[in-house]
Amino acid sequence: MAKMMSCFHQLQVATIAVLVFVVFPSIVQADPDMLQDICVADLAAATRVNGFVCKNNNNVTADDFFSKELANAGNTNNLMGSLVTAANVMKIPGLNTLGVSIARIDYAVGGINPPHTHPRATEIVFVMEGTLDVGFITTANVLISKTINKGEVFVFPRGLVHFQKNAGYMPASVIAAFNSQLQGTVSIANTLFASTPPVADDILAKAFQIDNKEVTEIKTKLAPKT
Ligand code: MN
């Protein structure tokens, strides 16, 4: 009987999977699908579409699909002790309409990539060097976290708040892939405390249950350096 129930359960799961992947493909696609082989972004075009206008194929070169952006470690000498170097459609115009992009993240000892979300992409990271404490928080407010090491992979589902911390004694680095040509990043602390124009102090004070003086203090610390 238990076996039959288990079979039934598997059938249910399979049915749901088919519905999700076949009947409602848009649910599992981040970027819209492409309508031609290539559509190299004309980043300078005045016309705006969802994505970028394609440049003339006669002017397309291999360099439109190439980047050496990630070859070198980023400079982590900053407030958070980390740097994200992105190779998305803004750097690789050939990614336009392809629905993928890549980045590398470098972390100083003790460095963090502070809590943030990507509104348009799921992220999957591969540890090149070091040990990281990583995690994301579901909409049910459950923290899913783990310590990951060189050669290991971790996934941050689309839209969920996530972070990484270098938990080792050496600099660390990861390669991050996204299912969007331009994943977008909302860095929680910066978004709330360093926007232009600023979010009103009383809103932040009440939201975080702190006083206005503490709000000012955080705003000062996170203010972009000029
Ligand atoms: Mn991320």
Side-chain angles (χ1 to χ4, degrees):
M1 187 63 186
K3 199 173 172 190
M4 260 185 73
M5 280 308 287
S6 148
C7 277
F8 181 65
H9 179 71
Q10 280 174 9
L11 193 67
Q12 272 185 322
V13 170
T15 307
I16 290 165
V18 166
L19 278 175
V20 168
F21 286 97
V22 179
V23 183
F24 308 117
S26 61
I27 291 174
V28 290
Q29 280 171 4
D31 289 4
D33 215 351
M34 61 218 258
L35 299 174
Q36 62 279 298
D37 287 353
I38 59 172
C39 174
V40 175
D42 180 354
L43 297 171
T47 310
R48 284 282 168 263
V49 295
N50 188 23
F52 292 95
V53 174
C54 317
K55 80 178 194 185
N56 189 326
N57 280 359
N58 295 333
N59 302 329
V60 169
T61 70
D63 277 345
D64 289 321
F65 299 90
F66 169 82
S67 173
K68 53 182 180 184
E69 204 70 30
L70 312 188
N72 300 311
N75 182 358
T76 58
N77 184 18
N78 54 50
L79 211 52
M80 296 297 148
S82 79
L83 193 78
V84 179
T85 307
N88 53 40
V89 70
M90 305 310 289
K91 293 285 165 59
I92 309 177
L95 285 178
N96 193 37
T97 74
L98 300 188
V100 294
S101 62
I102 193 165
R104 76 174 281 164
I105 312 169
D106 291 280
Y107 313 82
V109 174
I112 67 162
N113 185 10
H116 64 278
T117 75
H118 304 293
R120 293 183 290 276
T122 288
E123 172 176 5
I124 181 163
V125 297
F126 170 82
V127 182
M128 290 198 291
E129 285 298 337
T131 298
L132 297 148
D133 290 338
V134 302
F136 65 84
I137 300 118
T138 71
T139 57
N141 227 11
V142 176
L143 171 67
I144 309 280
S145 65
K146 193 169 173 66
T147 300
I148 57 172
N149 298 294
K150 183 174 180 168
E152 295 176 348
V153 162
F154 198 80
V155 177
F156 305 105
R158 176 178 172 179
L160 298 186
V161 174
H162 61 280
F163 57 84
Q164 302 105 29
K165 179 188 134 189
N166 183 352
Y169 300 100
M170 300 288 284
S173 58
V174 306
I175 289 292
F178 302 92
N179 63 332
S180 171
Q181 65 178 31
L182 192 60
Q183 76 280 14
T185 299
V186 178
S187 197
I188 308 297
N190 266 324
T191 296
L192 292 172
F193 289 90
S195 68
T196 309
V199 176
D201 287 2
D202 61 330
I203 293 174
L204 297 170
K206 189 146 188 156
F208 286 87
Q209 294 293 290
I210 55 180
D211 58 38
N212 283 25
K213 197 173 130 268
E214 287 166 307
V215 171
T216 309
E217 216 172 290
I218 299 170
K219 279 184 171 175
T220 307
K221 285 179 180 164
L222 293 182
K225 304 277 175 287
T226 49

